[in-house]
Amino acid sequence: MNGNGFEEIYDLVCVGFGPASLAIAVAIHDQGISPRVLYLERQHEFRWHGGMLLPDARMQISFLKDLATLRNPRSHFTFLNYLHSNNRLVAFTNLSTFLPFREEYNAYLAWCASHFDRYVRYGQETISIDPHHGPDGKVESWQIFSRDVTTREITLVKARHVVIAVGGSPKIPPSLSGPSPEGPIIHSSSYVTTIPKVLADKSCKRRVAIVGGGQSAAEIFNNLQQNFENVSVSLYIGDSALRPSDDSPFVNEIFDPDRVDDFYTLPVEAQKETLQRNRATNYGVVRPELLDRLYESMYHQRLHEPDETKWRCKIVPRREVVSHQKRADGTVSLQFRNTTNGQVGSSEPPFDLVIAATGYVRDAHKSMLDSTKHLLKTGQYDITRDYRIRYRADSVSANCGIWLQGCCQDSHGVRIEGFPFLGG
């Protein structure tokens, strides 16, 4: 184990250097303070949802909800200043949009991140966060163990305060379990990096299945339809139709910072009901303009071929994958359940590739914090209003704590995916 930094105690260590931790870095800079801070990031460079940076994909939130504008419009780190610094501000205004291309927003975030390179250790995967006790027996700091993703060397650093903001891990349902980066089943998060390899030969006919009914599934369906004429693609959704996201002004107010206070104080059952009502803003839904584009493409197929069974691109509703079978030739067959009548059937012929656009799991903090479970006040990860884990006061010093970002929906309400800090 590498003991670099063992004697050095940081004021703050952020595990993960995505938008949430980057916003913290920006806020610290804008306040003109200089704490001892370190950011640990598993990727080798800053990249936000790199596997889904499709050329024509746009943001789903206004550029004004960037890393700084709502907190400090005069900050160096606003999206508008990024455009100005790169001589694109005037040209961007001609687009007459609040929704930049996602690849441009990633470039903006990377531009901001570059200002903090000396505080970031890339290629470091955090594996555990352990308590370090002081002379009085209370936890006075935390030991953060990380592993170099290339050399596998373990490094230890200490900090009084830790923020865990690692984002989500790809969620593959049991019916599609066992994916590999080069295999016939992948997650949507690796689409951009995998497709050039799997579909490299555009003269070869391929069959692709997409499972999921949200924005990622629709974007991938659209991308395959528009750019791979040799690919027959089927989108399988459990619902009766693709549903539009709701970003109307009144509904959008649920993302306002002061709404967190209201949600946090609700009884648990009321929180669950509110979350369910607000799902249409962010989960399993598609931007209306993309739905319009998809419907026009489907109509164009109908114009030239009335028989839907002969269409190259299909949207198949009311289908739930119950199992899969990998074949000797490298293809995969899917077994579906009709969500209306319960009948089960198989896909014939099989698929060359299956893409699971099935969301993310946001529980990475649990394994990292396993050695701190005995310190929890309630035995559960009870989170305070300011996102701090509630440890027992008789066991953890007041000037020592761990905060969570991006995994507090149950206690703090629906947040904008990838930008949990916007909720206040």
Side-chain angles (χ1 to χ4, degrees), residues 54-91:
L54 301 174
D56 56 349
R58 289 187 177 273
M59 291 292 293
Q60 296 175 254
I61 59 172
S62 167
F63 69 80
L64 292 174
K65 295 182 177 181
D66 58 20
L67 297 173
T69 297
L70 299 185
R71 175 182 48 80
N72 177 14
R74 296 173 177 167
S75 170
H76 173 77
F77 296 97
T78 65
F79 180 71
L80 289 179
N81 188 55
Y82 158 75
L83 292 174
H84 175 72
S85 300
N86 287 273
N87 198 32
R88 292 203 306 273
L89 180 57
V90 174

Side-chain angles (χ1 to χ4, degrees), residues 60-319:
Q60 296 175 254
I61 59 172
S62 167
F63 69 80
L64 292 174
K65 295 182 177 181
D66 58 20
L67 297 173
T69 297
L70 299 185
R71 175 182 48 80
N72 177 14
R74 296 173 177 167
S75 170
H76 173 77
F77 296 97
T78 65
F79 180 71
L80 289 179
N81 188 55
Y82 158 75
L83 292 174
H84 175 72
S85 300
N86 287 273
N87 198 32
R88 292 203 306 273
L89 180 57
V90 174
F92 181 83
T93 62
N94 293 332
L95 293 174
S96 299
T97 182
F98 282 93
L99 304 176
F101 290 112
R102 194 179 296 155
E103 59 182 352
E104 180 171 39
Y105 213 77
N106 175 72
Y108 154 66
L109 295 173
W111 174 79
C112 292
S114 67
H115 291 70
F116 305 100
D117 281 346
R118 65 184 181 278
Y119 304 113
V120 185
R121 292 185 188 174
Y122 288 103
Q124 291 290 319
E125 179 180 15
T126 299
I127 53 180
S128 69
I129 300 171
D130 300 344
H132 181 260
H133 299 271
D136 61 356
K138 286 188 175 183
V139 177
E140 65 176 11
S141 63
W142 308 97
Q143 297 180 155
I144 302 100
F145 293 86
S146 64
R147 179 169 51 221
D148 188 294
V149 298
T150 302
T151 67
R152 315 306 289 174
E153 182 179 33
I154 303 296
T155 300
L156 167 63
V157 297
K158 293 172 65 176
R160 293 186 180 86
H161 308 95
V162 177
V163 173
I164 301 177
V166 293
S169 303
K171 180 174 70 175
I172 302 286
S175 58
L176 292 172
S177 61
S180 64
E182 306 296 331
I185 302 176
I186 66 169
H187 189 266
S188 57
S189 59
S190 63
Y191 176 77
V192 168
T193 55
T194 303
I195 287 300
K197 304 172 186 176
V198 178
L199 302 180
D201 184 0
K202 290 194 175 185
S203 64
C204 182
K205 297 292 185 181
R206 299 288 186 180
R207 297 189 77 245
V208 175
I210 306 168
V211 179
Q215 183 72 20
S216 294
E219 288 180 358
I220 291 173
F221 182 80
N222 179 66
N223 183 263
L224 289 172
Q225 186 179 41
Q226 299 297 324
N227 298 290
F228 296 88
E229 294 186 2
N230 61 312
V231 172
S232 295
V233 56
S234 298
L235 172 60
Y236 294 95
I237 62 176
D239 204 344
S240 59
L242 292 171
R243 303 288 177 179
S245 60
D246 187 348
D247 64 349
S248 54
F250 289 109
V251 171
N252 242 351
E253 286 187 342
I254 68 170
F255 297 112
D256 290 358
D258 58 5
R259 289 299 182 94
V260 179
D261 294 321
D262 297 334
F263 184 91
Y264 187 81
T265 57
L266 290 174
V268 173
E269 287 304 315
Q271 288 179 335
K272 293 179 180 178
E273 293 174 4
T274 302
L275 285 174
Q276 185 60 36
R277 288 197 301 269
N278 292 338
R279 285 188 63 83
T281 61
N282 212 26
Y283 299 99
V285 289
V286 183
R287 292 283 301 183
E289 56 268 26
L290 179 54
L291 289 178
D292 291 342
R293 196 184 318 160
L294 291 179
Y295 196 86
E296 287 180 357
S297 297
M298 303 302 284
Y299 182 82
H300 196 260
Q301 286 186 124
R302 188 181 301 278
L303 176 65
H304 293 277
E305 177 54 71
D307 186 354
E308 294 184 20
T309 63
K310 298 180 180 180
W311 290 3
R312 182 175 67 87
C313 303
K314 304 172 185 176
I315 298 177
V316 186
R318 302 185 182 91
R319 293 295 184 274

Side-chain angles (χ1 to χ4, degrees), residues 380-401:
Q380 304 292 327
Y381 288 101
D382 186 19
I383 312 301
T384 66
R385 169 59 184 86
D386 67 350
Y387 299 92
R388 184 174 186 166
I389 297 177
R390 206 185 300 273
Y391 288 114
R392 298 199 313 270
D394 62 349
S395 299
V396 179
S397 299
N399 188 32
C400 177

